[in-house]
Each structure stands twice: as C-alpha cells, then as structure tokens.
Amino acid sequence: MRTDFLPFHVPDIDEAEISSVEQTLRSGWLTTGPKVREFERQFAEFVGARHAIAVNSCTAALHLALDAIGIKEGDEVIVPTLTFAATAEVVFYLRARPVLVDCCPRTLNIDPERIKRAITSRTRAIVPVHFAGHPCHMDAIRDIARRHNLAVIEDAAHALPARYRNQMVGTIGDITCFSFYATKTITTGEGGMITTDNDEYAERMRIMSLHGISKDAWKRYTAEGSWRYDILFPGYKYNLTDIAAALGVEQLKKCVRFHEARRQMAYEFNHAFAKLGALSTPFVDEVVQHAWHLYVIQLNLAQLAISRDRFIEDLKRANIGTSVHFIPLHLHPFYRDTFHYEAHEFPCATQAFERIISLPLYTRMTWRDQRDVIEAVQDVVARNQR
Ligand SMILES: Cc1ncc(COP(=O)(O)O)c(C=O)c1O
C-alpha cells in the first residue's frame, strides 16, 4: 500500500505558467487587458468558434449565456439533474425555473427522450452538460431544440477538448460555456470561456460581463482608450484578469498533450478493470472524442458486500483520494423541498448516485500512482466480492 496520500487532483503547472504570470505581474497591467485578448483569440482558434469571451468562471459564463438569449421571469430551462449546482442556479439569477431531467444509464448524460417530456409552453432553452467530458447526444438535442424553437446552451465545464461527430464542442450549440476551475482539464485557478458564432449574443455577453459598459470598457485606462464610457445595461462584474489569462495561454498550449495523457490513462484503467464484474468502466460512444476530465466507475452493488460510501472509505484507507460527481440536484434539500421532486422521478440518476466513484485522473500522476489506484480498487473488490 502507498504510504502518502494520492490527492484526487493536482493541477499541472510548471515554469512556463510561472514565468508567464510573472511577466504579467511585472507588466503593470493586472486586470483584463492584452493577455485576456490573446487567450480569447487563441481559444476561439483552438475550438474553431467565431467568438470567445473570457470570464471569471463557468458559472458566470452560463449566467451571461442565459441572459443573452433573453431568459426572463417565468421561463423554464431544461437542465440535467446529474450536474453541479452552477448549471441550475444561474437560471434562478434570471428569475426563471430550472426543470430537472434524468440521465441515460450508460453515459450519464441528459436523456433526450426525457427532455421531450419535460417541454412545456414556457420552455425556452436546454442546457446539456457533457458529463465527465463525454459529449451529449447532440443530434437528438439539436433536433428537439429546432422543433420547439429552443436555444441550446452547452455546459462544457468538463468538455475541453471534446468532439461530437468530429465537431469540436464549442461550435455545436448556440453558446458553449467552459470552466478553468482548478480541477479542470486546463486551469486558470478560477475562470471560464464562452464561445459562440452569433455576433449579437457575443456583443451582449461581452458588454454584460463588465458592468454593461459600452465596448472596450477595459481600455479606459490605456493610452488608446478614453475615460468616457456609457452604461448600456445594468451588467455584472465577470471579467477575467490578465494574471489568470497568463496562466490560461500557457495551459491552452498543452491542452492536446494533456488530453492525450489522460486518454492513455483512461485506457490503462479500462484495461485493468475489464475483468472486474463488480464495476463498470466508462462507456464511450464511437461518435465522440471524450475529454476525459473525469474517470467515473459504476459499482455493480449486487456483486459487492459493501456500499459505495464504504468503497470510498476503503480507498481512502489505502491512501487514494476520490470524489463523487455528482449528488443529483433533485436529492438536495433546496430542490427537493421547493419543487417536491421525488427520487423515483429520476430513476437513472438516483440509482447511478449510489454506484458512482470518480477515480484520480490527471497528468501529474505517475504510472506508479496509477498502478496504486488500480491495485487499491482491485484489492477492495477482491476483499468484498459476494
Ligand atoms: C458541470 C459543471 N458546470 C459548471 C461548473 C461551474 O464551473 P466554475 O467553477 O468555473 O464556475 C462546474 C464546476 O465544477 C461543473 O462541474
């Protein structure tokens, strides 16, 4: 057994990021400025989108996206129940209502058949989450959206770089939102990016991300800018700093290499666990490129004498950090009590929640670290198999 604790995640930061941040610190310009613009340009090119707008979180990105498509009081927005708090909470920012939908058992992504059943005359948008980095069934989702005149805002917090039918995530829905939170596939500590091909949405989101102030507000303290500005709308304070963008520019350069390393590690896990009947490895549809942000196993509880929680405790005792993505929203007190959701209305997510464990999967892990994870999982299974 390993003697030191293997954390669930460690960001991959080296001298390139440190010196990039140092240069920005020495440049005299800390907040939104040339580094943010460089990061946006490079990100837009990387995913192939017309516009990329950097913000200080994916939560901010989702809020701005819903604002840009005109979500307002009384509207309904369809979101998966198996997601993080952010996906649904932003709907409340606009006094609208998130309508929770169950997932598909294999991918754990939102179920298009159940989306259809959740649509009412008040529905305005669908927010699919590419769970763990596996793109959702976008053909079906786009088809439903077209038929019902709904916008598609992708929560791609997990999905960089991912493809659906060879199309980069970031160029599929009306607007796509990415996260650069510390555990994500590339990080700026906290941060996010919005991509869209729609000029009007892009302009609105850019203006709203910085107090609703007219174009290029960030230039007002530069030689080329002017002290004069106009407030066009009551906006938000969601801009990314140049310090964070200095990290982002360097991380983006490594995105493909990071992805290849995670893909290889996922392959090693799949191979090592293939013969364990007590758990299922992640399903990957042949039409997608999985971003491998998370490696989520599903326990086959009928073959085990212990619960998922005990499995996690045993892994922790073996010095392996894990996590659970996610506690479905309908099981949280706020959603349960406000909307009277019952667990049986979301059979897939409710059952999946009892079985899922996210194993450590990141580029800072050595082959020895990965072998420790594999051996610990195999050992817990061997000791508790029915
Ligand atoms: C699916 C999903 N959406 C949105 C977010 C929010 O991202 P951020 O922390 O950048 O606001 C997260 C964060 O973990 C997430 O997992």
Side-chain angles (χ1 to χ4, degrees):
M1 191 182 92
R2 62 183 287 139
T3 49
D4 59 326
F5 185 70
L6 179 72
F8 174 67
H9 184 80
V10 179
D12 198 338
I13 302 291
D14 66 21
E15 285 309 314
E17 285 85 351
I18 292 167
S19 101
S20 176
V21 169
E22 188 183 333
Q23 274 174 34
T24 293
L25 292 176
R26 291 185 193 285
S27 75
W29 193 275
L30 305 185
T31 186
T32 311
K35 268 291 162 192
V36 166
R37 293 297 167 258
E38 184 185 342
F39 187 31
E40 289 177 336
R41 268 195 306 276
Q42 289 177 3
F43 196 92
E45 195 181 327
F46 184 77
V47 300
R50 193 171 154 81
H51 302 279
I53 299 150
V55 287
N56 57 17
S57 71
C58 181
T59 309
L62 290 163
H63 182 193
L64 291 173
L66 293 180
D67 168 82
I69 60 165
I71 295 295
K72 58 183 186 324
E73 186 161 5
D75 289 346
E76 289 179 359
V77 176
I78 292 179
V79 306
T81 186
L82 195 66
T83 187
F84 186 59
T87 319
E89 83 192 8
V90 293
V91 180
F92 289 103
Y93 295 2
L94 295 158
R95 299 176 188 275
R97 184 197 155 166
V99 174
L100 305 185
V101 166
D102 204 4
C103 56
C104 304
R106 287 199 300 187
T107 58
L108 302 182
N109 277 330
I110 193 165
D111 181 348
E113 285 308 311
R114 289 173 188 268
I115 292 178
K116 287 184 197 163
R117 281 182 250 155
I119 292 172
T120 71
S121 58
R122 291 180 296 280
T123 311
R124 297 283 172 267
I126 308 170
V127 185
V129 174
H130 305 302
F131 179 82
H134 187 300
C136 293
H137 195 335
M138 293 308 293
D139 281 349
I141 291 171
R142 275 191 302 199
D143 187 52
I144 297 166
R146 204 167 25 240
R147 281 170 200 268
H148 295 270
N149 198 22
L150 309 175
V152 177
I153 308 295
E154 288 168 69
D155 180 338
H158 301 181
L160 181 73
R163 288 173 192 272
Y164 178 78
R165 293 196 191 284
N166 234 1
Q167 195 175 351
M168 275 299 270
V169 168
T171 63
I172 303 173
D174 294 290
I175 302 175
T176 308
C177 303
F178 295 91
S179 173
F180 309 130
Y181 178 69
T183 58
K184 297 300 192 282
T185 55
I186 69 168
T187 186
T188 59
E190 299 280 359
M193 191 71 80
I194 319 171
T195 59
T196 184
D197 284 349
N198 183 307
D199 297 346
E200 260 172 55
Y201 293 161
E203 177 156 347
R204 168 86 183 176
M205 293 188 291
R206 199 174 277 294
I207 290 171
M208 292 303 278
S209 72
L210 196 55
H211 302 299
I213 293 177
S214 53
K215 259 207 212 145
D216 289 339
W218 65 273
K219 284 190 182 157
R220 67 193 184 281
Y221 297 115
T222 66
E224 50 184 307
S226 159
W227 57 269
R228 194 177 277 285
Y229 58 83
D230 294 316
I231 298 169
L232 306 178
F233 310 100
Y236 310 101
K237 175 69 173 156
Y238 283 164
N239 55 308
L240 192 73
T241 65
D242 261 22
I243 303 170
L247 257 169
V249 164
E250 295 307 317
Q251 288 269 291
L252 188 61
K253 289 180 192 162
K254 301 173 179 174
C255 188
V256 170
R257 177 160 64 77
F258 284 172
H259 176 250
E260 181 49 33
R262 280 195 312 276
R263 197 185 61 77
Q264 184 63 32
M265 294 173 90
Y267 171 83
E268 299 291 350
F269 275 144
N270 287 344
H271 182 69
F273 301 146
K275 293 205 178 78
L276 295 183
L279 60 87
S280 308
T281 56
F283 169 80
V284 185
D285 194 312
E286 61 186 14
V287 302
V288 310
Q289 172 186 295
H290 197 310
W292 292 114
H293 163 50
L294 299 174
Y295 187 89
V296 179
I297 56 169
Q298 295 197 49
L299 301 182
N300 182 355
L301 294 173
Q303 294 199 22
L304 287 166
I306 55 168
S307 66
R308 185 274 317 274
D309 291 3
R310 256 294 301 281
F311 204 109
I312 287 177
E313 279 167 35
D314 284 7
L315 288 178
K316 197 167 180 185
R317 241 176 259 129
N319 273 328
I320 306 297
T322 58
S323 190
V324 172
H325 296 86
F326 295 94
I327 306 170
L329 295 178
H330 70 269
L331 297 179
H332 286 280
F334 171 75
Y335 287 94
R336 196 185 53 212
D337 300 345
T338 309
F339 300 111
H340 308 291
Y341 283 130
E342 303 215 17
H344 67 79
E345 294 173 67
F346 306 91
C348 175
T350 303
Q351 284 166 33
F353 172 58
E354 300 294 334
R355 307 171 52 206
I356 48 180
I357 303 177
S358 304
L359 298 181
L361 179 82
Y362 49 95
T363 49
R364 273 290 165 101
M365 277 169 73
T366 62
W367 165 234
R368 203 189 176 88
D369 292 332
Q370 187 172 22
R371 209 186 51 198
D372 290 341
V373 178
I374 291 170
E375 284 175 7
V377 169
Q378 287 170 335
D379 182 56
V380 176
V381 168
R383 282 188 292 108
N384 297 287
Q385 202 140 23
R386 269 198 221 272

